[in-house]
Amino acid sequence: VTARGETTAVRAPVFVRGKQSWADVGWHDRIRLTGKLAPAEAADPEVAVLSPRGPPERVGERSLVRSAAEHLRSGMRDAVQPLPADARGLLPALVIGDTSLTPQELTDDMLVTGMSHLSAVSGSNVAVVLAALVGACRLGGVPRRWRPWVAGAGLAFFVVLARPEPSVIRAATMGAIGLLGLSASRRGAGTPALCAAILALLTYDPWLARSYGFVLSALATLGLLLLVRPWSDAINAHLPRRLHLIGPAVAIPLAAQLVCGPVVVLLQGEVS
């Protein structure tokens, strides 16, 4: 930071209020800019709010991994252009958490109906990615001991692709812990993996405790781990065997909604 004739080297988070000229700035890009600093709120993780003067100047080139991720993100946005407005905005949001094309009216409707969590990448996305990677390794004949490492590398790239939002970090950390258990030839337990992920992440970044996305993601996973199996068994006990898919189909959304309910009330002030 250069101000009043003095230059100081600092390392601290700053909240930038950028205009349209900032739309092309990617995650972890190195930039140079001029602007005015103002104090941030005491409870915010950022130390200051920056109002830039003019567009940013990029310094250096993006790494190959980040360039590939930005290429895929822009490619998905281009691919959905022929779709109607709502579908065009919702598809990238569901897959990689990119809400840049989501119409404001759709965002408001999702908030009113309690469906805004759908546009946040979480455990379900990570589960699909890991299942696809492990399945591809199996079909490709990759030795069993190497599969967790290949899947872990793919998971790391998916985090870069989806951006490290709190729910993404939580889900990826839990997935990584599960992969470590797999590599050690031990049957992983979901609840210990979730607890380890939460403790590790809060130790690294305590501000995640103030993130609704992180809290909702962790609570929803906890509800699935603790409640789905007994509730599914209780429902299926009154149904013939051919209808046993109904138990999980009812228990999964009910368990997640129940444990997230108190936090949703804090976030939105109502229950849909």
Side-chain angles (χ1 to χ4, degrees), residues 13-15 40-41 44-49 207:
V14 175
F15 186 88
E41 295 293 332
D44 291 343
E46 296 85 15
V47 299
V49 176
W207 291 99

Side-chain angles (χ1 to χ4, degrees), residues 163-249:
R163 307 284 173 83
E165 298 290 338
S167 60
V168 181
I169 295 174
R170 193 278 313 162
T173 303
M174 184 177 174
I177 292 173
L179 287 174
L180 289 175
L182 179 63
S183 66
S185 299
R186 293 191 299 265
R187 183 179 295 275
T191 305
L194 176 63
C195 294
I198 292 173
L199 289 174
L201 290 170
L202 290 181
T203 301
Y204 175 74
D205 184 6
W207 291 99
L208 286 174
R210 294 174 51 84
S211 165
Y212 278 106
F214 178 80
V215 174
L216 288 171
S217 181
L219 283 178
T221 305
L222 182 65
L224 298 179
L225 290 171
L226 297 182
L227 302 177
V228 168
R229 177 167 294 180
W231 287 7
S232 297
D233 292 342
I235 294 171
N236 288 338
H238 302 281
L239 297 173
R241 192 172 189 85
R242 65 179 182 276
L243 298 179
H244 276 195
L245 288 176
I246 294 179

Side-chain angles (χ1 to χ4, degrees), residues 2-272:
T2 300
R4 297 178 182 175
E6 294 187 6
T7 300
T8 306
V10 297
R11 182 182 177 89
V14 175
F15 186 88
V16 181
R17 290 197 175 101
K19 296 184 179 180
Q20 186 60 34
S21 59
W22 283 71
D24 293 332
V25 176
W27 174 69
H28 259 261
D29 279 353
R30 294 175 61 86
I31 59 174
R32 183 183 291 115
L33 63 125
T34 59
K36 182 179 179 181
L37 287 171
E41 295 293 332
D44 291 343
E46 296 85 15
V47 299
V49 176
L50 177 69
S51 299
R53 298 191 183 107
E57 175 189 350
R58 184 176 299 172
V59 179
E61 297 294 331
R62 291 173 179 168
S63 68
L64 182 61
V65 173
R66 287 192 291 118
S67 297
E70 290 299 328
H71 176 71
L72 289 175
R73 289 177 70 92
S74 61
M76 171 164 277
R77 288 193 291 267
D78 293 339
V80 299
Q81 285 302 321
L83 299 176
D86 284 355
R88 184 168 62 242
L90 192 57
L91 186 58
L94 290 171
V95 178
I96 56 174
D98 185 352
T99 58
S100 59
L101 299 179
T102 306
Q104 186 60 44
E105 183 179 355
L106 177 60
T107 300
D108 295 340
D109 290 344
M110 292 176 71
L111 286 172
V112 170
T113 57
M115 302 292 282
S116 58
H117 62 280
L118 292 177
S119 60
V121 173
S122 61
S124 58
N125 303 71
V126 170
V128 170
V129 169
L130 289 179
L133 289 169
V134 173
C137 289
R138 185 176 300 172
L139 292 175
V142 177
R144 184 180 181 85
R145 66 179 181 275
W146 289 107
R147 292 174 191 172
W149 301 104
V150 174
L155 178 60
F157 179 75
F158 179 73
V159 171
V160 176
L161 176 64
R163 307 284 173 83
E165 298 290 338
S167 60
V168 181
I169 295 174
R170 193 278 313 162
T173 303
M174 184 177 174
I177 292 173
L179 287 174
L180 289 175
L182 179 63
S183 66
S185 299
R186 293 191 299 265
R187 183 179 295 275
T191 305
L194 176 63
C195 294
I198 292 173
L199 289 174
L201 290 170
L202 290 181
T203 301
Y204 175 74
D205 184 6
W207 291 99
L208 286 174
R210 294 174 51 84
S211 165
Y212 278 106
F214 178 80
V215 174
L216 288 171
S217 181
L219 283 178
T221 305
L222 182 65
L224 298 179
L225 290 171
L226 297 182
L227 302 177
V228 168
R229 177 167 294 180
W231 287 7
S232 297
D233 292 342
I235 294 171
N236 288 338
H238 302 281
L239 297 173
R241 192 172 189 85
R242 65 179 182 276
L243 298 179
H244 276 195
L245 288 176
I246 294 179
V250 173
I252 288 173
L254 189 61
Q257 187 67 33
L258 179 68
V259 296
C260 290
V263 180
V264 172
V265 171
L266 290 175
L267 176 63
Q268 301 178 353
E270 62 184 13
V271 178
S272 66

